[in-house]
Amino acid sequence: MPLLDRLQLSTTSTDLPPHESRIVSLPLLCMIAFAIGLVAAAGAVVFRILISVVHNLFFYGRFSTVYDANLFDAPSPFGPAIILAPVVGGLIVVWLVKTFAPEAKGHGVPEVMFAIYHAKGNVRGVVAIVKSLASAISIGSGASVGREGPIIQIGASFGSTVARMLRLARWEKITLLSAGAGAGIAATFNTPLGGVLFAVEMLLPEVSTRTFLPVVVATATATYAGRIAFGLDPAFIVPLANLEVHQAVDFVQLIAFAVLGALAGIASWAFIRSLAWCEDTFPKLPGNEYTQNIIGMLMIGVLGYGFFLVTGQYHTYGVGYATIQDILNDQPYTLALLLLLLAAKIFATSVSLGAGASGGVFSPSLFIGAALGGAVGVIGMTLFPDRGFAPAEFALVGMGALVGGATGASMTAIVMIFEMTRDYNVIVPLVLAVGIALGVRRWLIADNIYTIKLRHRGRPIPQIRHTNMYLVRQAKELMATNFIVLPIDMTVSDALKALPAEMDGPIHVIVEDEGRIAGFVRFGTIPYMADRRAHQTLREIMSSDYVIASQTHILNSVITRMNQRNRSYAIVVAGPGVVPRTENIVGVIDTSEIAEAVISNHYA
């Protein structure tokens, strides 16, 4: 039997109520993640081909899939008219996004986070198609955006779509969404560890075996498939990586790396603020989305062509990998040019995304970090000519520091820079600079470049996303014991008379039917009206919206079962393996007990 048929049989059987979902086994979840990894890798391949086709059409007027983003392009035969390329591409992108998928606008990752924390892990399948086309057109026509955000959203969209088709539980849906996102970034950058860490640091609300393994399977699969398609070379070639190191990092250089980290933290803050300001300002400009996009893309076109007139290269167009590779090749960039590139890229990326382009911020962060690091290296080489300063090495560290500072994904930044360059020599300076950059940025602004957009939208996500300590408390530690067991055929009026008067707060009434638990009644929430309740029995007003829990179960397990079955009440029995009869009831857990556990955990 085909895999998909087996999945459908195991997850969407006819005995599954419409409002419930089915949990599959971990091996089966990993098999689904494997398929998602393959699709994410295929998506990365198709996405790169689309970028190549669009770039060649807009810049050279020819149909071709040959394009190496790490190499500078020849001058466009269109001359000054190339200024209009981002404008035309931008108008197409605005139409695509506005017509088919508004979620495809912007840099992608905030939308994925929104889906995880505010949309139950739901990302529409059409987003993958629209995001691919819109981002390929944005990047190919010259907008200053990256290609990792789109592929993250594309992978997340596929993972979420598969989970919804199979009607999986919410946590499984979020796991597969995160697996698709991690697989996408792993395939596009050839960084399997970086893809896993990105999913863990930025997306997964819970890190455990059941969530971690599917992410690992998806990213490893996507990386392997991506290497078949793209080759084994790292994203950037670093000539310095071949040098042997026989001593520790020079002390003066180490101080310079620390200074670079602090400057990267400030640059991250500037990048976040600039992007947030543009995303808030452009929608307020006169006209509609099309006129706002024209204004922004004209700026991008003029800026890119201006760099071509001065330097001979379109530095601020597209992902900017060619400039990064040139700096890493230790080309003699002046301090003034490096600082100009830094400021121009912050401006160009902020304007591009603010005006409605579709693309990521990871690649621009690498560009800004390389320019900043190269500038610090040039200064150090000038001030300390005998200390072995190499601008390329500082550029490499700057890339990681800026990514870590701007995104908040410090471990991801460290590991991905190593995987993309395979230069082990800079690990110690990289760790130092990334840590300082993240600390400085958080001191200046709490939100990272992804979460600030959600905060401005009025839908923030928690700063700390790890499991809270209250979730490991046993049910017997927090359950309410103010309950009474009453027969199912007792009238409401008699039941009200039977309630103990000395007990504070609402009394939990458990309804029993010949010793079996039949349901419960929340009398504290039902206003008593004698004329209506006089002849009603508990059978008529009780609720079966409950689960059975053992007193030794931890709260995390109880809440998980309540969530899986869409229940709001738990009846606690004496111990595991005990028959759930009324004589074994020891307490109840209602919303008030859960709220009390949360409050006492945070304020005790």
Side-chain angles (χ1 to χ4, degrees), residues 107-446:
H107 48 110
V109 177
E111 283 67 31
V112 174
M113 290 181 166
F114 177 86
I116 291 173
Y117 290 96
H118 299 294
K120 300 181 180 180
N122 295 323
V123 181
R124 295 191 299 155
V126 70
V127 172
I129 299 173
V130 177
K131 189 70 176 180
S132 300
L133 294 173
S135 297
I137 294 171
S138 288
I139 296 170
S141 63
S144 179
V145 291
R147 65 190 184 197
E148 82 298 326
I151 197 63
I152 288 172
Q153 197 170 6
I154 292 166
S157 172
F158 182 75
S160 174
T161 300
V162 170
R164 283 187 286 113
M165 288 175 58
L166 301 177
R167 294 178 63 188
L168 300 185
R170 179 178 180 179
W171 72 265
E172 292 176 313
K173 193 189 309 178
I174 291 174
T175 299
L176 293 180
L177 179 154
S178 302
I185 200 170
T188 195
F189 281 122
N190 192 11
T191 55
L193 292 177
V196 171
L197 287 176
F198 182 85
V200 169
E201 280 195 285
M202 302 305 300
L203 301 179
L204 285 176
E206 172 207 336
V207 181
S208 62
T209 302
R210 67 177 188 171
T211 60
F212 184 73
L213 283 181
V215 172
V216 171
V217 170
T219 52
T221 303
T223 304
Y224 183 78
R227 287 177 176 178
I228 294 175
F230 303 132
L232 301 179
D233 291 335
F236 299 104
I237 304 298
V238 184
L240 292 175
N242 297 323
L243 299 179
E244 294 185 7
V245 178
H246 301 287
Q247 59 185 11
V249 180
D250 182 81
F251 181 70
V252 175
Q253 285 194 48
L254 202 60
I255 295 176
F257 282 121
V259 173
L260 172 58
L263 294 175
I266 297 172
S268 299
W269 166 81
F271 188 23
I272 294 170
R273 283 297 189 191
S274 174
L275 178 57
W277 185 84
C278 286
E279 289 181 329
D280 291 340
T281 301
F282 269 90
K284 300 176 184 177
L285 294 178
N288 54 26
E289 294 96 329
Y290 294 100
T291 55
Q292 294 158 4
N293 186 267
I294 290 173
I295 294 172
M297 291 300 105
L298 273 176
M299 296 181 187
I300 301 303
V302 171
L303 181 64
Y305 188 67
F307 267 104
F308 172 75
L309 293 178
V310 175
T311 67
Q313 305 296 344
Y314 305 104
H315 285 290
T316 54
Y317 281 161
V319 293
Y321 284 179
T323 301
I324 296 172
Q325 185 62 67
D326 212 34
I327 296 174
L328 294 179
N329 287 340
D330 224 8
Q331 295 299 317
Y333 279 66
T334 65
L335 176 62
L337 178 57
L338 288 168
L339 294 177
L340 183 61
L341 288 171
L342 185 155
K345 196 63 174 180
I346 292 177
F347 172 82
T349 303
S350 301
V351 170
S352 295
L353 291 171
S358 178
V361 295
F362 196 96
S363 298
S365 297
L366 293 174
F367 186 111
I368 297 165
L372 176 62
V376 172
V378 169
I379 294 174
M381 189 169 57
T382 303
L383 296 178
F384 308 100
D386 299 327
R387 291 289 185 170
F389 277 78
E393 192 170 14
F394 276 81
L396 192 60
V397 174
M399 290 162 62
L402 209 295
V403 169
T407 66
S410 54
M411 290 187 294
T412 302
I414 293 170
V415 172
M416 285 192 70
I417 293 300
F418 170 65
E419 286 187 296
M420 286 193 294
T421 61
R422 301 177 191 173
D423 181 8
Y424 191 78
N425 301 333
V426 296
I427 287 295
V428 173
L430 186 60
V431 171
L432 174 66
V434 170
I436 294 176
L438 180 59
V440 170
R441 193 272 297 164
R442 285 185 62 88
W443 175 61
L444 294 172
I445 180 172

Side-chain angles (χ1 to χ4, degrees), residues 34 47 59 99 151-152 183 236 385 398 429 442 445 458 564-565 570 603:
F34 175 80
F47 185 53
F59 275 75
T99 305
I151 197 63
I152 288 172
F236 299 104
R442 285 185 62 88
I445 180 172
Q564 291 168 357
R565 302 183 183 184
Y603 297 103

Side-chain angles (χ1 to χ4, degrees), residues 473-554:
R473 294 177 62 186
Q474 289 186 327
K476 63 184 178 183
E477 298 178 36
L478 51 93
M479 65 186 183
T481 56
N482 54 335
F483 69 92
I484 185 173
V485 179
L486 298 176
I488 193 170
D489 292 319
M490 177 179 280
T491 63
V492 174
S493 56
D494 289 341
L496 289 171
K497 295 175 184 177
L499 298 182
E502 67 277 6
M503 298 182 73
D504 295 329
I507 309 301
H508 298 276
V509 176
I510 307 299
V511 181
E512 63 96 11
D513 184 7
E514 297 181 354
R516 293 179 289 107
I517 300 173
F520 69 95
V521 175
R522 290 188 178 101
F523 271 124
T525 62
I526 302 176
Y528 176 62
M529 293 175 283
D531 57 334
R532 293 184 57 191
R533 305 295 186 190
H535 302 292
Q536 281 186 316
T537 64
L538 295 182
R539 184 192 300 271
E540 299 175 65
I541 66 170
M542 73 176 186
S543 172
S544 58
D545 178 27
Y546 70 92
V547 297
I548 299 295
S550 166
Q551 63 179 346
T552 57
H553 286 165
I554 61 174

Side-chain angles (χ1 to χ4, degrees), residues 14-92:
T14 55
D15 64 341
L16 188 62
H19 64 281
E20 291 193 16
S21 54
R22 183 68 56 81
I23 294 179
V24 300
S25 64
L26 183 57
L28 191 53
L29 196 65
C30 289
M31 291 175 66
I32 301 172
F34 175 80
I36 290 174
L38 290 177
V39 173
V45 173
V46 173
F47 185 53
R48 285 202 193 183
I49 293 174
L50 286 174
I51 293 174
S52 300
V53 171
V54 173
H55 177 79
N56 283 298
L57 284 174
F58 274 80
F59 275 75
Y60 303 103
R62 64 173 183 253
F63 181 86
S64 174
T65 59
V66 178
Y67 171 54
D68 189 346
N70 287 50
L71 300 176
F72 284 119
D73 288 322
S76 171
F78 301 137
I82 198 64
I83 292 173
L84 298 177
V87 178
V88 176
L91 293 176
I92 300 173

